[in-house]
Amino acid sequence: MSRNSLKPVFIAFAKEAFRNRLEIFFTLFYPMIFLLLFGFFFGGSESYQKVSVGLYQTGPYDISAVIEESGAWNLRLYDGETDIGEAVKNGDILLGMIFNGEKITYLHQEGNLEQQSTIEMARASISAAVEKEINNARSFIVVENIPETAGRIHATDADYTMSGVIAISLLSAGMFSVISVFGRYRKRGVLDRFKITPLRPFTFVLGSTLTRFLVSLVSIVLILVVSRLLFRTTFQIDWLPFLVSILSSTLGMMALGLFLTLLFRNPETADAAASILMVIVVFFAGIYFPLSFLPDYLRVISIFLPVKYVAELIRHSLGIEFVSTSYFVITNLVLFLSGVVLLYFTGKRYLSAS
Amino acid sequence: MSRMWNFTSGLFKSEIREFQVMFWSFIFPLILYFILTSVFGSLYGDDTQGISFRVGIVREESLSGLGMILDKVIEDISSENGPFVKKEYGSVDEALIDLKEGKQDIVLVIPEGTSAKIASAAVLQTGEVALRVHYISGKDSSSIASNVLSEIIDEVNLEIRRQSGGEYVDVVTEAKTVSAREEKPFDYREYIFPGVALMMILSVALFNSPIGLIQYRVSGVNKKLYTTPLKPLEYFAGHFAKLIFTMLISLTLLYLTAIFVYNVRGPILDIRFILTLLFSMVVTISFGLMIASFSKKLSTVTVLGQTLYQLMMFLGGLYFPVFHLPWGIRWLVYALPTTYLVELSRRVMGYQFAPVSLFWLILVPIIWTAFSTVIFVINFKKVMGYE
């Protein structure tokens, strides 16, 4: 074998990766499960859909016009408290209101995180509008809400969710793959066999890395296609930063996997640690819900999670959110260099003939 | 009997010596409970200290006279008890850059002439003052922050009217939840408890059980066991007992955490609630045995287990209500046994989220148990590797 036979090494790794059903599942289809689940849960809708609210009123005031005037609610009128209660229970309406001229009793279902903020907003705005109407109060101060775009496009909830899924996919592809290569291969003695060949450690590592990059790219393309078809995402890919981000992020996530492999000699333990890290990342990296939902003492954890920065790079490349050029360059450099350095030292450690 | 007990204890000790089993069965449910209550508990509780939004303030003039009411409002909303953390900017452009870079959730611009307009509006009872709020469309934290600020300004307008004298009718509001117990406010830590418990039960049933069975077959342990006097029924009784034991230990740890750390009592100590958890164990274990019967290799059982685990966890309504999802996916919600199991547990606690009667909450899991058991019995020899 030639010392510089990158092509056959790359082809061998690529074939092995795409033939390994477990790896195919975790790299290509596992992120898809998250995309579908979280897309339906948190993806929202690109167009605002009026929320249905119900009203049963007695007393001297008719507040139905006040509620309808805002244009934000789809109002249904009910003839009794029982009817409106049943409607809320069955999900026909999100919020029920019983108004007796002095008091509004709001009825809603609990536990619905997705709708909770809508319910709170409806309660506050309807209460204020009714009190304003009854007291003939005028608005001295009004708020003019001006939507801005953080990137090239007016992003939707689905765009944010999809970028989070891509970050998770890069983490999964990068981290678990090096645990497989440097953990399992080492345990099975495969690396020892490579040591006695003329193959340079650098060639082995590069072949493996290029395969990971290819697999990441395939996974991301799948995610982009599915999210465009199912959730009508509106991203605009800036290809150069996008490919640079994928490459550096893959290397950065490989660095994370290598760190675990060096820390835990047993590949099964490294695998378990990687799985634990995945769970922590999902909750603390600000990917699926805003970091502002976390208490302060938990929010600080996100600073130490590389996936948070990967998600920011991906959002920048897809036009969802801008980051400054210096931030983009520095973040990519840090991810790239950490991957390269750790790959170099790990390759030297496990692949150099003693 | 002692033979079976020895076999069960051997299986159990062999399993808990593995770090993965210790972590995912015993430790992870506690971590998840902690994470969920930390993240989402503040959204439902009276204490909203956990949530804060960042607002950039741009003053195009220094407020004076009646305009200082806005100063007071801004101080209040960015105080220790307020929902905002403020930062003052010298220009709109500077603030918008930070907004777009994610350093602020919203930017509030107080335009030039605000003080005069407020004074004029108050005296002449005409005209209005427009404050500009810039937010990032599609970004949750930004949209919510802008809504919160709008609500606060609505309250400010009402307060101005209240202070201006004359008769004022205060509209009292009250919130009632139709799904929760009436006599006390919604407690997220209580609501999420059955979801986390069922997640733990699911992970043991979908991973520990089928992976253990397939591993013993492919590694040849089963063949060695066939040479012993151990009967198949004793083997499965031991396997089943091991799983139940694992689940009970994990459940005990979860109960201790809920009771002593989060002060959750009442419904979770109800015997009917505990019976629903035991019912869930039986249903999910049978489901796990069915997965084992479809899998020849370890890789297959891992893939099937992971996929079903994620689907049953999220689409089963363990963490969030799921009956508002589009019908393209909602049919799956109705097909999954976890949907009925978690709703049954919550129904016993006094909640109702699913438009499903108690009859179906019990019948559908029983159907799944019967179906899974039949499939497993048919494929029994294949699972055990009998030649």
Side-chain angles (χ1 to χ4, degrees):
Chain A
M1 184 192 291
S2 158
R3 287 168 65 90
N4 299 323
S5 46
L6 174 61
K7 187 175 167 189
V9 171
F10 168 70
I11 291 171
F13 268 119
K15 282 184 181 172
E16 195 262 350
F18 286 102
R19 280 176 189 160
N20 184 335
R21 278 188 277 181
L22 210 55
E23 184 163 343
I24 288 291
F25 170 76
F26 278 108
T27 323
L28 298 184
F29 296 109
Y30 197 58
M32 204 60 60
I33 296 174
F34 280 105
L35 173 67
L36 292 173
L37 284 174
F38 286 101
F40 281 115
F41 272 114
F42 302 123
S45 171
E46 61 185 44
S47 60
Y48 175 72
Q49 288 173 350
K50 280 192 188 181
V51 170
S52 292
V53 298
L55 174 66
Y56 166 61
Q57 56 184 351
T58 55
Y61 301 105
D62 179 3
I63 60 169
S64 57
V66 172
I67 297 167
E68 282 177 323
E69 200 179 69
S70 70
W73 321 110
N74 187 10
L75 180 67
R76 300 183 200 182
L77 297 172
Y78 290 86
D79 296 326
E81 290 188 23
T82 317
D83 289 344
I84 202 170
E86 282 303 311
V88 172
K89 217 181 245 189
N90 295 333
D92 298 336
I93 53 175
L94 185 66
L95 186 68
M97 294 169 288
I98 302 169
F99 179 57
N100 65 2
E102 285 177 344
K103 178 176 164 185
I104 306 176
T105 303
Y106 291 101
L107 305 176
H108 61 93
Q109 282 201 14
E110 280 291 9
N112 193 336
L113 172 71
E114 195 199 328
Q115 302 289 354
Q116 187 63 24
S117 60
T118 308
I119 291 169
E120 292 298 326
M121 192 179 74
R123 277 176 52 189
S125 69
I126 291 171
S127 301
V130 168
E131 197 164 316
K132 183 180 153 190
E133 174 70 16
I134 289 173
N135 293 290
N136 206 24
R138 42 183 300 275
S139 298
F140 284 99
I141 305 169
V142 295
V143 168
E144 188 189 338
N145 285 313
I146 302 170
E148 300 283 350
T149 171
R152 292 190 297 280
I153 59 169
H154 276 279
T156 61
D157 294 340
D159 290 321
Y160 277 92
T161 303
M162 185 241 343
S163 63
V165 172
I166 291 177
I168 295 287
S169 163
L170 285 166
L171 172 70
S172 177
M175 192 168 62
F176 286 103
S177 64
V178 290
I179 291 173
S180 175
V181 171
F182 289 101
R184 291 203 183 85
Y185 281 16
R186 187 187 70 210
K187 192 175 178 182
R188 281 159 43 188
V190 173
L191 297 187
D192 287 337
R193 287 175 179 79
F194 272 107
K195 262 193 219 179
I196 58 172
T197 69
L199 188 70
R200 278 195 190 138
F202 172 75
T203 310
F204 180 94
V205 167
L206 189 60
S208 152
T209 306
L210 285 175
T211 308
R212 257 58 270 167
F213 176 61
L214 174 68
V215 170
S216 294
L217 202 55
V218 170
S219 171
I220 288 166
V221 165
L222 259 178
I223 291 169
L224 291 173
V225 167
V226 170
S227 62
R228 180 80 95 174
L229 289 173
L230 278 183
F231 304 112
R232 304 197 193 287
T233 47
T234 57
F235 51 83
Q236 288 175 9
I237 304 174
D238 194 345
W239 284 102
L240 183 58
F242 185 61
L243 291 171
V244 166
S245 299
I246 294 175
L247 177 65
S248 61
S249 302
T250 305
L251 282 166
M253 297 305 102
M254 287 172 82
L256 203 51
L258 285 167
F259 175 71
L260 293 174
T261 312
L262 291 169
L263 197 61
F264 303 105
R265 287 195 60 82
N266 188 335
E268 277 81 31
T269 313
D271 237 344
S275 302
I276 295 163
L277 192 60
M278 281 282 286
V279 171
I280 292 172
V281 155
V282 167
F283 284 102
F284 292 114
I287 288 177
Y288 294 124
F289 51 80
L291 286 174
S292 47
F293 283 13
L294 291 172
D296 290 340
Y297 63 89
L298 288 180
R299 215 176 295 168
V300 76
I301 294 174
S302 70
I303 298 170
F304 299 101
L305 296 175
V307 178
K308 170 186 176 285
Y309 305 99
V310 169
E312 288 171 357
L313 292 177
I314 297 298
R315 283 184 200 132
H316 174 82
S317 313
L318 296 178
I320 297 170
E321 270 182 1
F322 279 131
V323 296
S324 64
T325 308
S326 56
Y327 184 89
F328 182 82
V329 168
I330 291 170
T331 310
N332 273 297
L333 260 177
V334 168
L335 290 168
F336 182 84
L337 286 174
S338 51
V340 165
V341 165
L342 272 173
L343 276 168
Y344 173 76
F345 281 114
T346 313
K348 224 170 165 242
R349 182 175 168 178
Y350 293 123
L351 290 163
S352 295
S354 45
Chain B
M1 192 64 193
S2 70
R3 186 168 69 200
M4 209 200 86
W5 169 251
N6 288 339
F7 180 62
T8 306
S9 127
L11 278 179
F12 179 72
K13 283 179 195 169
S14 161
E15 190 148 287
I16 61 164
R17 278 175 190 149
E18 289 195 38
F19 171 74
Q20 295 226 48
V21 172
M22 276 296 285
F23 180 81
W24 291 111
S25 302
F26 300 134
I27 301 171
F28 179 66
L30 304 179
I31 294 176
L32 185 66
Y33 192 50
F34 165 71
I35 290 173
L36 289 174
T37 48
S38 300
V39 173
F40 299 117
S42 59
L43 292 178
Y44 289 89
D46 292 332
D47 173 22
T48 54
Q49 299 270 342
I51 302 178
S52 65
F53 301 103
R54 295 156 301 170
V55 57
I57 312 276
V58 180
R59 298 170 192 269
E60 291 182 344
E61 71 160 28
S62 291
L63 295 166
S64 59
L66 281 175
M68 290 176 73
I69 194 174
L70 277 177
D71 273 336
K72 176 85 175 49
V73 170
I74 291 169
E75 282 310 310
D76 281 346
I77 65 175
S78 55
S79 67
E80 203 182 302
N81 296 323
F84 289 101
V85 173
K86 73 168 180 173
K87 182 180 173 182
E88 302 274 351
Y89 288 88
S91 72
V92 176
D93 290 336
E94 200 186 319
L96 287 181
I97 289 171
D98 272 7
L99 175 70
K100 290 175 185 183
E101 287 182 1
K103 292 176 187 165
Q104 299 296 337
D105 292 313
I106 54 171
V107 166
L108 169 64
V109 179
I110 300 172
E112 205 172 318
T114 296
S115 301
K117 284 182 185 170
I118 290 180
S120 161
V123 168
L124 301 173
Q125 293 292 306
T126 184
E128 59 192 22
V129 177
L131 302 178
R132 299 201 310 270
V133 172
H134 297 258
Y135 71 100
I136 301 294
S137 67
K139 198 171 177 187
D140 269 345
S141 57
S142 204
S143 304
I144 293 171
S146 71
N147 289 331
V148 169
L149 188 62
S150 295
E151 289 162 24
I152 291 169
I153 297 299
D154 282 342
E155 287 299 319
V156 170
N157 285 319
L158 291 174
E159 187 59 28
I160 292 172
R161 168 64 182 86
R162 202 181 272 117
Q163 298 295 336
S164 66
E167 195 189 331
Y168 190 88
V169 175
D170 271 300
V171 174
V172 176
T173 63
E174 182 191 27
K176 277 188 180 175
T177 50
V178 295
S179 51
R181 291 174 158 230
E182 295 292 339
E183 62 266 23
K184 66 180 174 85
F186 178 77
D187 185 345
Y188 181 79
R189 292 166 294 191
E190 185 183 280
Y191 159 81
I192 203 63
F193 184 88
V196 175
L198 203 57
M199 181 280 303
M200 177 277 296
I201 291 168
L202 203 59
S203 74
V204 173
L206 293 191
F207 294 123
N208 300 29
S209 173
I211 288 177
L213 287 174
I214 303 298
Q215 209 153 34
Y216 274 21
R217 190 187 73 222
V218 302
S219 63
V221 169
N222 278 359
K223 283 189 180 165
K224 293 182 174 65
L225 286 172
Y226 300 152
T227 64
T228 70
L230 194 72
K231 296 193 182 87
L233 200 59
E234 286 171 332
Y235 178 102
F236 273 99
H239 179 76
F240 187 78
K242 172 202 77 173
L243 295 172
I244 295 288
F245 205 43
T246 307
M247 290 175 183
L248 286 175
I249 293 176
S250 183
L251 209 52
T252 306
L253 291 172
L254 198 58
Y255 261 95
L256 290 173
T257 307
I259 291 168
F260 294 110
V261 176
Y262 293 107
N263 208 29
V264 178
R265 313 260 165 164
I268 67 169
L269 298 172
D270 190 325
I271 185 67
R272 294 173 305 162
F273 178 79
I274 294 169
L275 284 173
T276 64
L277 293 181
L278 293 173
F279 179 54
S280 301
M281 289 178 192
V282 171
V283 175
T284 51
I285 288 175
S286 68
F287 201 89
L289 292 176
M290 182 176 68
I291 292 174
S293 70
F294 287 141
S295 314
K296 260 184 166 175
K297 299 186 215 175
L298 263 177
S299 56
T300 312
V301 80
T302 306
V303 164
L304 268 179
Q306 276 287 355
T307 308
L308 287 168
Y309 178 67
Q310 300 295 340
L311 288 175
M312 289 167 86
M313 235 194 346
F314 288 106
L315 293 181
L318 268 59
Y319 309 129
F320 319 112
V322 287
F323 290 91
H324 63 284
L325 291 173
W327 271 106
I329 203 164
R330 204 192 303 181
W331 65 270
L332 200 50
V333 169
Y334 281 99
L336 296 171
T338 40
T339 308
Y340 301 87
L341 292 172
V342 77
E343 178 64 20
L344 182 64
S345 297
R346 290 191 174 127
R347 196 68 65 90
V348 162
M349 294 170 94
Y351 298 106
Q352 180 173 342
F353 297 101
V356 177
S357 69
L358 191 62
F359 172 76
W360 290 107
L361 292 181
I362 298 171
L363 181 67
V364 173
I366 288 176
I367 293 172
W368 269 112
T369 308
F371 177 74
S372 306
T373 310
V374 164
I375 297 288
F376 177 69
V377 164
I378 291 171
N379 291 299
F380 177 77
K381 283 187 178 174
K382 191 177 86 176
V383 174
M384 299 304 292
Y386 281 136
E387 283 155 9

